[in-house]
Amino acid sequence: GGARRLYRRILQLHRALPPALRDLGDRYVKEEFRRHKAAGPAEAQRFLREWEATLIQQQINEDKQNVREKAVYGIQLTEEKLNDFRDEQIGQLKELMDEATKPNKKITISKDSEYKT
């Protein structure tokens, strides 16, 4: 129940993003939740805890946007958090960053994309 509610709330927040970023974010979230569906209890708890923290940060950014009228997307990751990631996760972040920072191109992700480990 809690995972499904969190998943829906994240997708709901993505509605405020520009279309290309929304598409990228929605696909990323869907793939991540699908990949962790069979995770063990400890990994699942950590996965949900991290997404809840991301959700809270997105809500804070959304509130700041409403005050400043300037769009702010994403969160800054600390070196400590980055050190906790597996190589596979670092690869995913790199791919996401590359897609999100392509100049003047529409953001696309293939449905059957595979991540390098």
Side-chain angles (χ1 to χ4, degrees), residues 104-115:
N104 300 323
K105 292 186 179 179
K106 186 173 190 251
I107 298 170
T108 59
I109 297 179
S110 65
K111 290 182 180 178
D112 53 80
S113 64
E114 290 188 20
Y115 297 102

Side-chain angles (χ1 to χ4, degrees), residues 6-57:
L6 176 63
Y7 175 79
R8 280 195 299 250
R9 182 65 184 132
I10 292 168
L11 293 179
Q12 195 174 45
L13 277 173
H14 284 182
R15 292 179 189 161
L17 296 172
L21 283 178
R22 178 182 177 181
D23 185 52
L24 177 67
D26 286 355
R27 287 184 188 183
Y28 182 76
V29 169
K30 288 173 185 177
E31 285 181 26
E32 281 297 294
F33 272 76
R34 198 174 301 124
R35 290 166 52 113
H36 285 82
K37 205 172 192 176
E43 186 178 354
Q45 279 299 99
R46 183 171 181 188
F47 174 80
L48 292 175
R49 206 172 32 251
E50 290 299 323
W51 273 106
E52 286 170 358
T54 300
L55 176 65
I56 290 167
Q57 187 63 47

Side-chain angles (χ1 to χ4, degrees), residues 42-44 69 94:
E43 186 178 354
E69 298 296 324
K94 170 94 172 79

Side-chain angles (χ1 to χ4, degrees), residues 43-100:
E43 186 178 354
Q45 279 299 99
R46 183 171 181 188
F47 174 80
L48 292 175
R49 206 172 32 251
E50 290 299 323
W51 273 106
E52 286 170 358
T54 300
L55 176 65
I56 290 167
Q57 187 63 47
Q58 284 178 330
Q59 290 171 324
I60 290 169
N61 286 345
E62 189 177 72
D63 291 342
K64 286 180 183 177
Q65 266 180 238
N66 292 337
V67 171
R68 290 186 303 199
E69 298 296 324
K70 183 179 177 195
V72 176
Y73 303 111
I75 60 172
Q76 192 70 26
L77 293 173
T78 65
E79 189 172 337
E80 180 181 317
K81 279 222 185 256
L82 286 172
N83 288 334
D84 286 342
F85 289 163
R86 296 185 312 263
D87 289 342
E88 177 186 11
Q89 292 170 311
I90 296 293
Q92 288 174 309
L93 284 173
K94 170 94 172 79
E95 287 179 25
L96 187 61
M97 182 188 74
D98 290 346
E99 284 295 321

